[in-house]
Amino acid sequence: MGSVTATVAPPTDSNVIPWFRTFWAISRSGFRRYATYRQAAVAGVVTNSVFGFLKCYVLLAVAGTAGAAAGYDRAQLATFVWAGQGLLAVVLLWGWTDLADRIRTGDVATDLLRPVHPVTGYLATDLGRAGYAALARMLPPMLVGPLFFDVYLPTRAATVPLFVVSAVLAVVLCFGCRFLVNATAYWLQDVRGPMILWTLGSGVLAGLYFPLRFLPEGVQWALWFGTPFPSLMQTPLDVLVERDPTPTQVGLVALQAGWAVLLLAGCRWVQRRAERRLVVQGG
């Protein structure tokens, strides 16, 4: 039995370009890795589309004869649902246990010997995965929805680029949350409990099942400023359907960026603490 620790120096001015090249190379490998699972992508698109019909009919029923609910009209609700079904696969709320599995088997020791910090390496891979999911998992539901429902198309020039930025930040945020949940394996070994809590809480609090604007206003802002959950899905979807004026949307995306910085810093801090106590059989 022995302890395994690793210290990875942050990029400096002299090595920042090679650092970005390494990050880009890892991201491309993540894209290629997930691009091999074509049948899984097709199955995921079919499943998300089926649930898209169910959710869309439910929310349109909520709008009722008034034609609007919580500030969304029927077209905005339809776009919210179908874009959300695609965004779910991009941010990947559930299903990622790579770090927890490697901690349990002891393979995480090899991660600590690499020249790239574990948080950076896993983040780069996840961004590559998200890039593939944006093409294979997000576009199809967003093309299926308009065939059966009247959807909302953005009318402001800033909406689409702001949505792209918001979606990328949502991927980074969700990665940070999943990393922290997986990192509990350093102390618990078995992460099924934290995973169940994450699965139950993230879908509701992120706005996957229903728009958080349906909640009382005080609860909404408590969730937005007190937790990162609304920034995972609610914020990019609200940006896409132009639920708020542009200055408010920019403020919500800035809040996403703040949460992203905070969570990535938290991931590095947890990883550093875990390395001080990690014991690998035969190390």
Side-chain angles (χ1 to χ4, degrees), residues 35-59:
T36 60
Y37 303 113
R38 298 183 180 88
Q39 292 181 339
V42 173
V45 167
V46 172
T47 301
N48 287 350
S49 297
V50 170
F51 279 99
F53 280 102
L54 297 175
K55 289 173 59 178
C56 200
Y57 282 122
V58 169
L59 289 183

Side-chain angles (χ1 to χ4, degrees), residues 115-201:
V116 179
H117 193 282
V119 175
T120 301
Y122 280 113
L123 174 60
T125 301
D126 199 60
L127 287 174
R129 175 208 57 78
Y132 172 72
L135 299 175
R137 298 288 302 275
M138 185 171 185
L139 287 181
M142 295 185 69
L143 295 176
V144 169
L147 298 177
F148 300 93
F149 301 93
D150 293 328
V151 298
Y152 180 86
L153 298 178
T155 59
R156 306 170 191 161
T159 295
V160 173
L162 194 61
F163 170 73
V164 172
V165 173
S166 182
V168 172
L169 289 172
V171 172
V172 175
L173 270 168
C174 193
F175 162 78
C177 293
R178 286 186 276 110
F179 187 95
L180 292 175
V181 174
N182 275 249
T184 59
Y186 283 117
W187 289 269
L188 302 179
Q189 296 300 315
D190 188 343
V191 297
R192 284 177 293 182
M195 282 291 181
I196 291 174
L197 291 176
W198 163 252
T199 301
L200 293 176

Side-chain angles (χ1 to χ4, degrees), residues 244-256:
D244 302 296
T246 300
T248 302
Q249 291 182 329
V250 172
L252 291 175
V253 174
L255 181 62
Q256 275 187 293

Side-chain angles (χ1 to χ4, degrees), residues 196-268:
I196 291 174
L197 291 176
W198 163 252
T199 301
L200 293 176
S202 59
V204 175
L205 301 179
L208 172 63
Y209 301 136
F210 59 88
L212 296 180
R213 301 300 181 108
F214 285 6
L215 299 174
E217 186 173 348
V219 176
Q220 293 177 34
W221 295 116
L223 288 174
W224 245 296
F225 288 100
T227 75
F229 290 109
S231 296
L232 301 180
M233 293 193 67
Q234 181 72 36
T235 294
L237 294 177
D238 275 351
V239 168
L240 183 62
V241 302
E242 298 177 339
R243 172 61 175 73
D244 302 296
T246 300
T248 302
Q249 291 182 329
V250 172
L252 291 175
V253 174
L255 181 62
Q256 275 187 293
W259 275 115
V261 172
L262 184 63
L263 278 178
L264 289 181
C267 290
R268 284 181 169 267

